[in-house]
């Protein structure tokens, strides 16, 4: 039967084995060929024990790592969902900023329209006053022309009357 120290030496050639273990098995440092054939036969039970030892040594760490990875994956999913919600909030805020900009622009144009309307009303009043004044001036000119025409007719009549008329013989 091969011992565990020898099995480790053959499985892992670089594994350290103390000289006392080699001497206790009847091996010496001087002849490396002694007992080589016996050491090469490894029993299935030793392989199973080594595999179980290896598994028992690394399996708990691997299971903890697996659980930690699952937790990280779950946390990552939660973070991704949260990130998507935050992105949608930022999009809403950005659209709100756009809406606010539109309202500000609408207020600006509304103020312009109000100013234009005031100017149009003022211009309408001025044109109405100018039309009234033009009508009054036209009426005044017509009246003056009528008075001049009447004056001319009077003068013409007066000159007619002033012109000498031949006297009638009777």
């Amino acid at each position: 039967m091969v011992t565990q120290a020898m099995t480790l030496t053959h499985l892992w050639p670089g594994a350290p084995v103390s000289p006392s273990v080699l001497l206790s098995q009847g091996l010496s440092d001087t002849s490396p060929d002694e007992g080589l054939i016996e050491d090469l036969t490894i029993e299935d039970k030793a392989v199973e024990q080594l595999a179980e030892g290896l598994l028992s040594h690394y399996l708990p760490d691997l299971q903890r790592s697996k659980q930690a990875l699952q937790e990280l994956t779950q946390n990552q999913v939660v973070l991704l969902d949260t990130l998507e919600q935050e992105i949608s909030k930022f999009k809403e805020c950005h659209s709100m900023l756009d809406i606010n900009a539109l309202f500000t622009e609408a207020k600006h144009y509304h103020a312009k329209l109000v100013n234009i309307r005031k100017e149009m009303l003022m211009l309408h009043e001025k044109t109405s006053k100018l039309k009234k004044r033009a009508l009054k001036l036209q009426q005044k000119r017509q009246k003056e022309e009528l008075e001049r025409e009447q004056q001319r007719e009077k003068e013409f009549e007066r000159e007619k009357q002033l012109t000498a008329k031949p006297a009638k013989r009777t």
Side-chain angles (χ1 to χ4, degrees), residues 103-117:
F103 276 119
T104 303
E105 191 174 355
K107 285 180 185 178
H108 175 71
Y109 285 116
H110 178 72
K112 277 188 169 185
L113 286 173
V114 167
N115 287 338
I116 290 172
R117 185 173 182 212

Side-chain angles (χ1 to χ4, degrees), residues 45-58:
K45 190 174 185 180
V47 171
E48 283 182 32
Q49 288 176 350
L50 286 172
E52 286 177 12
L54 188 64
L55 284 176
S56 67
H57 181 70
Y58 288 110

Side-chain angles (χ1 to χ4, degrees), residues 4-158:
Q4 192 171 3
M6 289 306 294
T7 306
L8 283 175
T9 306
H10 289 291
L11 286 178
W12 293 292
V17 178
S18 67
S20 60
V21 171
L22 291 174
L23 290 174
S24 68
Q25 293 177 356
L27 299 174
S28 67
D29 289 343
T30 58
S31 64
D33 290 337
E34 288 181 27
L36 188 60
I37 296 173
E38 292 176 9
D39 292 339
L40 290 178
T41 58
I42 299 173
E43 295 181 4
D44 290 337
K45 190 174 185 180
V47 171
E48 283 182 32
Q49 288 176 350
L50 286 172
E52 286 177 12
L54 188 64
L55 284 176
S56 67
H57 181 70
Y58 288 110
L59 191 61
D61 289 337
L62 290 173
Q63 286 175 340
R64 283 193 296 271
S65 296
K66 180 180 178 182
Q67 186 177 3
L69 283 174
Q70 287 175 343
E71 288 178 22
L72 285 173
T73 305
Q74 289 174 349
N75 289 341
Q76 192 175 28
V77 168
V78 170
L79 283 174
L80 285 173
D81 290 341
T82 306
L83 186 62
E84 286 178 10
Q85 291 173 358
E86 292 298 319
I87 288 172
S88 66
K89 286 179 185 178
F90 279 125
K91 286 181 181 178
E92 287 176 17
C93 288
H94 187 65
S95 64
M96 291 298 277
L97 290 175
D98 289 342
I99 290 172
N100 287 337
L102 287 175
F103 276 119
T104 303
E105 191 174 355
K107 285 180 185 178
H108 175 71
Y109 285 116
H110 178 72
K112 277 188 169 185
L113 286 173
V114 167
N115 287 338
I116 290 172
R117 185 173 182 212
K118 285 180 184 178
E119 287 180 21
M120 289 179 69
L121 288 173
M122 185 177 68
L123 289 173
H124 178 71
E125 288 176 15
K126 284 184 179 181
T127 54
S128 296
K129 288 179 183 178
L130 286 173
K131 284 180 183 178
K132 286 180 185 178
R133 186 174 174 202
L135 184 63
K136 284 182 183 178
L137 286 173
Q138 186 179 10
Q139 288 174 351
K140 186 178 177 183
R141 283 186 190 151
Q142 286 176 350
K143 186 177 177 183
E144 287 175 356
E145 283 183 29
L146 184 62
E147 286 176 1
R148 276 190 231 133
E149 189 66 36
Q150 287 176 353
Q151 185 71 21
R152 277 189 226 142
E153 284 181 21
K154 282 183 185 177
E155 285 180 17
F156 182 70
E157 284 294 321
R158 195 171 180 206

